[in-house]
């Protein structure tokens, strides 16, 4: 059974804190993705990675960075959290550009 | 720019009726489309996909229709059940775009 796990389901941080969101997949997928989901806006792509140590900006990369040191792990980093980064963060992975993405359960982040 | 949108943000359906969820896209270079279902507290899950060389594909109780002329995608759910209550997203491979989602509520 395919599995994408995210390190936390709920997270509360303060403005200015550095935040790490971790995602791990056990399917040996090449591609991994980070989205944020906000009411009325759907899923918006922050960053994606098609290989270890490779990353590409999505539609809304500002205020975020990513790290992919190992194939199975893709980390999203908020260097200095701000209240407008309060959101649901979803990680996904797939085996190729026209393959189904498998999603994790999401991390609901609240920045105070 | 690219837009992948659903025509209605919410849809209320009587249990047992058929549901139709619509999606428009703007870029004719889109080649692959997926419908995802997101239940409360979970990440989106694959329902059905279709490639641009097809205009219809059927799964179990679901059918996806693709009209490339008007750049329109729809998901039909037959005999809607309470377990179909969820947010539905259309996705296309051009710029990895998701629509805003349609929330389907099934009335008993």
């Amino acid at each position: 059974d395919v599995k994408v796990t995210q390190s936390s389901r709920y997270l509360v941080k303060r403005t200015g804190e550095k935040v790490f969101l971790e995602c791990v997949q056990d399917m040996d997928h090449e591609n991994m993705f980070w989205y944020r989901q906000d009411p009325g806006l759907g899923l918006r792509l922050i960053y994606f990675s098609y290989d270890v140590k490779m990353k590409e900006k999505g539609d809304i990369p500002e205020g975020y960075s990513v790290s992919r040191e190992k194939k199975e792990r893709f980390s999203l980093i908020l260097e200095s959290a701000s209240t407008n980064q309060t959101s649901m963060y979803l990680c996904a992975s797939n085996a190729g550009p026209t393959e189904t993405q498998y999603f994790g359960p999401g991390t609901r982040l609240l920045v105070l | 720019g690219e837009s992948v949108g659903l025509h209605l943000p919410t849809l209320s359906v009587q249990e047992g009726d058929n549901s139709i969820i619509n999606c428009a896209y703007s870029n004719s270079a889109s080649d692959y489309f997926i419908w995802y279902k997101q239940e409360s507290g979970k990440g989106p899950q694959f329902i059905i996909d279709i490639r641009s060389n097809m205009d219809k594909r059927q799964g179990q109780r679901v059918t996806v229709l693709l009209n490339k002329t008007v750049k329109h995608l729809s998901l039909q759910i037959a005999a809607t059940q309470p377990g179909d209550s969820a947010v539905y997203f259309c996705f296309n491979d051009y710029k990895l775009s998701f629509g805003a989602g349609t929330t389907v509520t099934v009335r008993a």
Side-chain angles (χ1 to χ4, degrees):
Chain A
D1 196 19
V2 298
K3 199 137 186 181
V4 179
T5 56
Q6 294 182 228
S7 50
S8 305
R9 292 300 304 271
Y10 301 94
L11 213 51
V12 181
K13 295 291 181 181
R14 295 203 176 275
T15 302
E17 278 193 81
K18 190 168 186 175
V19 182
F20 293 87
L21 303 182
E22 304 283 342
C23 176
V24 177
Q25 50 95 3
D26 65 359
M27 296 163 282
D28 201 36
H29 283 166
E30 302 295 328
N31 304 323
M32 296 188 75
F33 309 84
W34 274 107
Y35 295 89
R36 64 177 282 177
Q37 182 176 15
D38 301 287
L41 298 176
L43 276 69
R44 293 180 291 167
L45 183 64
I46 304 171
Y47 269 97
F48 67 100
S49 168
Y50 52 86
D51 201 353
V52 176
K53 297 193 186 295
M54 305 301 287
K55 61 183 180 184
E56 293 285 342
K57 293 180 180 179
D59 297 323
I60 51 164
E62 297 79 18
Y64 304 94
S65 62
V66 290
S67 172
R68 188 144 180 227
E69 296 297 317
K70 294 184 178 181
K71 190 176 185 180
E72 67 271 18
R73 189 179 296 269
F74 192 35
S75 302
L76 180 69
I77 302 151
L78 287 65
E79 295 289 342
S80 178
S82 62
T83 55
N84 63 11
Q85 292 178 309
T86 290
S87 186
M88 168 71 88
Y89 290 88
L90 288 161
C91 174
S93 71
N94 71 4
T98 58
E99 299 293 325
T100 302
Q101 291 185 32
Y102 294 89
F103 284 84
T107 295
R108 190 168 291 281
L109 173 67
L110 172 62
V111 183
L112 300 173
Chain B
E2 173 67 9
S3 68
V4 178
L6 292 167
H7 293 310
L8 291 173
T10 61
L11 181 66
S12 180
V13 183
Q14 185 69 40
E15 182 178 356
D17 286 355
N18 297 333
S19 304
I20 300 176
I21 307 165
N22 295 302
C23 184
Y25 63 98
S26 60
N27 198 294
S28 57
S30 301
D31 182 55
Y32 179 56
F33 303 85
I34 306 175
W35 280 100
Y36 286 91
K37 173 185 180 184
Q38 185 179 24
E39 296 175 86
S40 180
K42 298 181 181 179
Q45 289 186 298
F46 171 91
I47 303 174
I48 191 167
D49 61 357
I50 190 167
R51 296 194 186 268
S52 61
N53 61 353
M54 304 170 69
D55 52 21
K56 181 179 180 178
R57 191 158 188 226
Q58 287 186 287
Q60 188 177 13
R61 280 201 309 118
V62 294
T63 301
V64 56
L65 299 176
L66 176 62
N67 185 329
K68 294 180 285 294
T69 303
V70 296
K71 300 188 185 69
H72 183 268
L73 187 73
S74 69
L75 177 71
Q76 300 178 2
I77 305 173
T80 310
Q81 301 171 359
D84 296 325
S85 292
V87 181
Y88 291 82
F89 294 97
C90 59
F91 169 88
N92 77 33
D93 64 332
Y94 183 76
K95 291 183 70 177
L96 305 174
S97 305
F98 279 86
T102 290
T103 300
V104 173
T105 303
V106 180
R107 306 189 305 271

